[in-house]
Amino acid sequence: AQSVTQLDSHVSVSEGTPVLLRCNYSSSYSPSLFWYVQHPNKGLQLLLKYTSAATLVKGINGFEAEFKKSETSFHLTKPSAHMSDAAEYFCVVSDQGDDKIIFGKGTRLHILP
Amino acid sequence: KAGVTQTPRYLIKTRGQQVTLSCSPISGHRSVSWYQQTPGQGLQFLFEYFSETQRNKGNFPGRFSGRQFSNSRSEMNVSTLELGDSALYLCASSLPGGDSDTQYFGPGTRLTVL
């Protein structure tokens, strides 16, 4: 069975410093992995998707994530945080062999001025 | 291309009433999924429709139901509303085929039950 764990419910960083949001997953098959962002009172927006073409995936707004099979991780990073990055971020796993999409519980990112 | 639209954006109802929420997917998308989002439970999957048929269902009581029309628009209905049904209801659509697990979300409908 597939599952996804976001290791931090809240992360605070100063503007201009790097961002790291951690995600671990378990999957029986070949997973697709996603990161979505949700700004207050908005729907979820797709940041990036991993499908096995390349382990380092670049997304929108300067975010990227690296798929590490040995560590079953798919952490989201950004070199320099901006105030507009303050939002909730969701890691999502989807198995090719299982018709389910599983969302993590979310990580709220706070940006300090 | 227009994104996923949901109507209404905000709704206030009282306990015992029923409510219908609407979702129009991105043109060409045939799958529509519904989610309930609350601060305590996070994002929970309600159901998914594809070609007017319910394909998957989450663990919600029968008070929650949905349907999909031939133009892929979808509605969800909640009967006999309870206070705990207060939530943001999100709809997501996806393409058929290989990219079917990439979901595009609407802005949500904020339901408040008094």
Side-chain angles (χ1 to χ4, degrees), chain A residues 42-77:
Chain A
K42 297 284 178 68
L44 278 70
Q45 180 185 16
L46 179 67
L47 273 179
L48 50 80
K49 175 183 180 181
Y50 164 79
T51 55
S52 78
T55 56
L56 184 63
V57 185
K58 292 190 184 300
I60 61 171
N61 301 336
F63 284 95
E64 60 183 37
E66 187 171 9
F67 173 72
K68 292 187 177 179
K69 189 174 181 179
S70 60
E71 299 175 10
T72 60
S73 70
F74 189 58
H75 301 334
L76 182 70
T77 60

Side-chain angles (χ1 to χ4, degrees), chain A residues 32 34 36 38 41-46 49 51 88 90 94-96 99-101 103-105, chain B residues 9-10 35 37 41 43 48 55-56 88 90 98-108 110:
Chain A
S32 292
F34 307 78
Y36 284 86
Q38 185 179 31
N41 297 312
K42 297 284 178 68
L44 278 70
Q45 180 185 16
L46 179 67
K49 175 183 180 181
T51 55
E88 188 151 24
F90 293 91
S94 167
D95 259 333
Q96 290 179 16
D99 207 14
K100 284 185 164 52
I101 297 172
F103 283 75
K105 291 192 179 298
Chain B
R9 290 294 313 280
Y10 301 92
Y35 295 85
Q37 187 178 29
Q41 300 296 321
L43 266 166
E48 180 200 4
R55 190 157 68 169
N56 275 310
L88 181 67
L90 291 164
D99 204 26
S100 61
D101 55 3
T102 302
Q103 298 194 307
Y104 297 85
F105 284 81
R110 171 78 60 187

Side-chain angles (χ1 to χ4, degrees), chain B residues 26-101:
Chain B
I26 293 171
S27 177
H29 288 200
R30 290 167 58 194
S31 170
V32 173
S33 297
W34 288 90
Y35 295 85
Q36 182 195 64
Q37 187 178 29
T38 59
Q41 300 296 321
L43 266 166
Q44 293 187 282
F45 172 74
L46 280 156
F47 29 64
E48 180 200 4
Y49 285 87
F50 180 80
S51 292
E52 302 179 64
T53 302
Q54 188 179 89
R55 190 157 68 169
N56 275 310
K57 190 177 190 306
N59 293 325
F60 278 80
R63 300 186 296 108
F64 291 82
S65 63
R67 59 178 175 167
Q68 187 180 33
F69 301 95
S70 58
N71 62 358
S72 295
R73 189 177 72 84
S74 176
E75 288 181 347
M76 68 162 278
N77 184 276
V78 188
S79 62
T80 321
L81 283 166
E82 300 177 0
L83 294 178
D85 297 333
S86 294
L88 181 67
Y89 289 88
L90 291 164
C91 162
S93 72
S94 60
L95 282 164
D99 204 26
S100 61
D101 55 3

